[in-house]
């Protein structure tokens, strides 16, 4: 109970001196924590998530064999997939799904600089809200802070990645064959927009994995600063 009260009191104070005075009274917090310490701790936690989890997505099968983030077909293309399989083109349908994920794996490499910039701009107020938030509060902060810039950055990269992995040609062939089937409603999906949005969802989901680990697993707090800052949350 004392620890809970300490946290509430600490974050009701706006002055660095007051924060130091209260935090220093509780040895379990690891000594004096200043406003910059808390913000730095959150930056470190987020940078860990970016370096560990976002990097995983850039590997071959980072999306395709990760069920948590694997890009599936949107409703419009599910009927295309089913029709192709019904007419004996299952291998083409399988390839169509794979190349969408390959494009995301290629494009997500561009995300790191955007996230790093957002992390640099975390204020103490941001850090306070993140630290006392739920298990995905930091991820939500990044999502709010980076989505606009990330989409703008991702969109042309996804377009290039679709071409790089041959997804544009595969899907041009798929759509051509589907639209040639009698009585179907012709489709012309915007794959660039779809893959961009799905890749962003995957990035945020993986960062949330690391954030939750740091919040709930003491051994994941790999530095003294992380241990001290997240003791406040505990």
């Amino acid at each position: 109970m004392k620890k809970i009260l300490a946290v509430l009191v600490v974050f009701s104070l706006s002055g660095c001196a007051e924060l130091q005075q209260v935090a220093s009274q509780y040895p379990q917090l690891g000594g004096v924590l200043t406003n910059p310490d808390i913000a730095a701790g959150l930056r470190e936690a987020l940078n860990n998530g970016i370096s560990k989890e976002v990097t995983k997505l850039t590997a071959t099968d980072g999306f395709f064999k990760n069920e948590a983030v694997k890009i599936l077909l949107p409703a419009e293309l599910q009927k295309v997939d089913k029709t192709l399989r019904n007419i004996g083109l299952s291998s083409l349908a399988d390839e169509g799904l794979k190349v969408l994920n390959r494009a995301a794996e290629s494009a997500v490499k561009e995300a790191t600089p955007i996230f790093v910039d957002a992390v640099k701009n975390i204020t103490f107020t941001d850090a306070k809200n993140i630290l006392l938030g739920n298990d995905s509060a930091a991820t939500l902060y990044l999502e709010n802070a980076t989505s606009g810039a990330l989409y703008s950055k991702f969109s042309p990269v996804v377009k290039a990645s679709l071409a790089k992995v041959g997804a544009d040609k595969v899907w041009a062939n798929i759509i051509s064959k589907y639209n040639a089937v009698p009585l179907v409603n012709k489709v012309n999906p915007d794959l660039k927009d779809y893959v961009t949005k799905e890749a962003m969802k995957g990035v945020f989901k993986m960062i949330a994995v690391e954030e939750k680990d740091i919040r709930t697993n003491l051994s994941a707090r790999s530095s003294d600063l992380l241990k001290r800052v997240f003791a406040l949350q505990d």
Side-chain angles (χ1 to χ4, degrees):
M1 178 61 73
K2 288 183 178 179
K3 191 173 180 180
I4 293 172
L5 290 174
V7 172
L8 294 175
V9 171
V10 165
F11 285 106
S12 68
L13 302 176
S14 58
C16 186
E18 292 172 301
L19 176 59
Q20 291 177 353
Q21 182 178 0
V22 175
S24 64
Q25 296 175 16
Y26 296 90
Q28 69 268 34
L29 301 184
V32 174
L33 279 172
T34 67
N35 293 6
D37 286 336
I38 294 172
L42 266 295
R43 292 189 194 103
E44 183 176 336
L46 288 169
N47 280 324
N48 283 357
I50 293 167
S51 61
K52 288 177 62 177
E53 301 301 336
V54 175
T55 299
K56 292 177 183 177
L57 296 177
T58 67
T60 299
D61 291 327
F63 273 87
F64 189 60
K65 290 190 177 180
N66 183 339
E67 292 301 320
V69 297
K70 182 178 180 178
I71 297 177
L72 303 177
L73 296 178
E76 182 184 18
L77 294 183
Q78 288 173 14
K79 59 185 179 182
V80 174
D81 181 89
K82 182 178 180 181
T83 299
L84 291 178
R85 295 181 191 282
N86 287 341
I87 62 176
L89 295 175
S90 295
S91 60
L92 183 58
D94 290 338
E95 182 66 12
L97 182 60
K98 180 181 288 187
V99 292
L100 291 185
N101 285 272
R102 288 286 182 268
E105 290 156 9
S106 175
V108 89
K109 295 175 184 178
E110 300 295 323
T112 300
I114 299 171
F115 286 127
V116 170
D117 286 343
V119 170
K120 288 178 181 177
N121 293 327
I122 290 178
T123 66
F124 172 66
T125 299
D126 292 327
K128 176 180 66 175
N129 293 335
I130 290 170
L131 191 60
L132 293 185
N134 60 32
D135 284 350
S136 61
T139 304
L140 181 60
Y141 165 82
L142 270 183
E143 189 169 356
N144 290 336
T146 66
S147 286
L150 188 56
Y151 185 93
S152 297
K153 181 75 172 180
F154 256 3
S155 187
V157 174
V158 167
K159 182 179 179 180
S161 295
L162 287 168
K164 178 181 177 182
V165 303
D168 54 349
K169 293 181 180 178
V170 170
W171 275 96
N173 187 26
I174 288 174
I175 298 304
S176 175
K177 290 185 182 300
Y178 175 79
N179 287 342
V181 175
L183 303 179
V184 300
N185 293 322
K186 291 179 170 51
V187 297
N188 184 28
D190 186 346
L191 292 178
K192 182 184 71 172
D193 177 68
Y194 178 70
V195 174
T196 299
K197 290 177 179 177
E198 290 301 300
M200 289 171 61
K201 289 179 185 177
V203 167
F204 292 127
K205 186 172 287 188
M206 293 305 291
I207 291 176
V209 168
E210 177 67 12
E211 178 183 357
K212 184 175 181 180
D213 194 34
I214 290 175
R215 287 183 182 275
T216 60
N217 181 4
L218 295 180
S219 64
R221 300 171 188 176
S222 54
S223 72
D224 179 63
L225 181 60
L226 284 178
K227 291 173 184 176
R228 293 170 61 212
V229 168
F230 280 91
L232 287 170
Q233 169 219 261
D234 297 337

